[in-house]
Amino acid sequence: MNRDAAVLPLTGAMNCRDLGGYPTSEGQLIRTNAIFRSDRLSHLTEDDQEELASYGIRTVVDFRTSAEAHRDVSRLWPTVTTHAPLPIGDEIAQQTEFIDRIRSGEITSISVADVADSYIEMLSDSGHQFVSFLEIAADVDCWPLLFHCTAGKDRTGVAAALILELCGVERNLVLDDYELTNALRSERRIEQLKPSLHQAGVDIEAIRPALSAPRSAMDQTLTYLDTNHDGVEQFLLRNLGVHSDTIAALRINLLV
């Protein structure tokens, strides 16, 4: 499936794209020009802002902690009427940028399993934020909507997977959407960081899972929900308290 058309041609954000266009197992499609996902918005150029305004995006959901948001202030555009911070993450840990913690030697290795565990922990510890996000995403009055974090891969990746799974997109395509971050952002970002990481004596391969979107990390996360909670929908209903009306509205509004 060619996703090139879904990627927004921005200079200051590498991982901004329409979540729509994916087919479901029931033969429907995720509506386009409704919900977008992105990395940070602090480096947007004026042309980028005009591009985003041309889509009429009115709601921006920001999963970053307040420390991240203060460090990289979003450059929003005139059509945005609602900016909804739904911080996910350890506020104290995020006081120092993640990459600085790697350079300093505080973090020396992270495995794919570690990434999957962090996603499962995220869903448990910040479940209320994901509930709020799904309620906003299900409301057509909030559309077009864009949600993002810093890299647009972990918190944003989990949120995107929840929507796609709830709408009946086949698992392989959900994983494709998650993994697309590598081609759009992660590989370029790692190349940018290599000189300073080498200088700091960092073993890049030992921390690559943390800097990229390893397909198996999301696969392990969703398999965990399948095995232990009968899938994403039941986990959201039973464990996080998402209202069935929210899921119904998401499907009614987002599927065409």
Side-chain angles (χ1 to χ4, degrees):
M1 182 180 179
N2 187 351
R3 293 294 291 173
D4 290 348
V7 179
L8 275 60
L10 306 178
T11 302
M14 293 183 269
N15 197 13
C16 187
R17 45 197 157 108
D18 193 332
L19 195 63
Y22 286 108
T24 73
S25 54
E26 298 294 318
Q28 293 174 287
L29 291 173
I30 303 291
R31 187 184 298 277
T32 56
N33 296 320
I35 298 183
F36 299 80
R37 54 174 294 177
S38 184
D39 46 350
R40 63 187 177 186
L41 307 173
S42 55
H43 289 57
L44 296 179
T45 65
E46 287 186 12
D47 285 346
D48 292 341
Q49 291 172 308
E50 286 182 19
E51 178 75 17
L52 289 161
S54 75
Y55 290 89
I57 296 170
R58 66 172 82 176
T59 303
V60 172
V61 175
D62 188 348
F63 290 130
R64 299 175 304 161
T65 63
S66 60
E68 293 172 281
H70 286 135
R71 187 163 57 235
D72 285 311
V73 178
S74 293
R75 302 192 69 214
L76 301 180
W77 47 96
T79 59
V80 176
T81 56
T82 302
H83 181 234
L86 293 177
I88 293 173
D90 186 333
E91 191 69 58
I92 296 172
Q94 297 288 353
Q95 293 290 338
T96 306
E97 192 172 358
F98 180 72
I99 202 67
D100 290 335
R101 297 165 68 200
I102 292 173
R103 286 196 193 99
S104 70
E106 181 185 341
I107 298 169
T108 55
S109 69
I110 292 184
S111 68
V112 170
D114 289 335
V115 176
D117 287 345
S118 76
Y119 292 169
I120 294 163
E121 186 178 344
M122 186 190 300
L123 283 164
S124 173
D125 292 353
S126 299
H128 60 295
Q129 302 292 54
F130 286 111
V131 172
S132 296
F133 166 68
L134 291 172
E135 290 170 350
I136 294 169
D139 184 356
V140 291
D141 289 338
C142 296
W143 292 2
L145 172 151
L146 180 148
F147 62 100
H148 77 101
C149 54
T150 293
K153 71 180 183 72
D154 298 317
R155 292 161 288 189
T156 297
V158 169
L162 294 180
I163 288 180
L164 296 177
E165 285 273 325
L166 286 174
C167 287
V169 173
E170 290 186 3
R171 179 65 53 84
N172 274 339
L173 293 178
V174 177
L175 298 178
D176 285 350
D177 184 74
Y178 169 73
E179 195 177 31
L180 186 55
T181 287
N182 290 330
L184 295 178
R185 188 182 197 279
S186 298
E187 292 307 321
R188 280 193 280 172
R189 182 72 175 133
I190 289 169
E191 285 304 312
Q192 290 171 356
L193 292 170
K194 266 185 179 177
S196 66
L197 292 178
H198 279 313
Q199 191 173 6
V202 174
D203 178 353
I204 292 174
E205 293 311 308
I207 50 96
R208 182 177 287 274
L211 299 179
S212 60
R215 186 183 186 90
S216 55
M218 183 57 71
D219 192 22
Q220 288 175 34
T221 302
L222 296 174
T223 299
Y224 170 85
L225 295 179
D226 291 342
T227 304
N228 294 278
H229 299 284
D230 298 322
V232 166
E233 181 173 357
Q234 291 306 314
F235 172 75
L236 292 170
L237 291 169
R238 296 176 193 160
N239 290 68
L240 299 190
V242 171
H243 201 285
S244 58
D245 288 352
T246 300
I247 295 175
L250 191 73
R251 288 172 178 154
I252 289 168
N253 294 330
L254 207 52
L255 293 176
V256 293

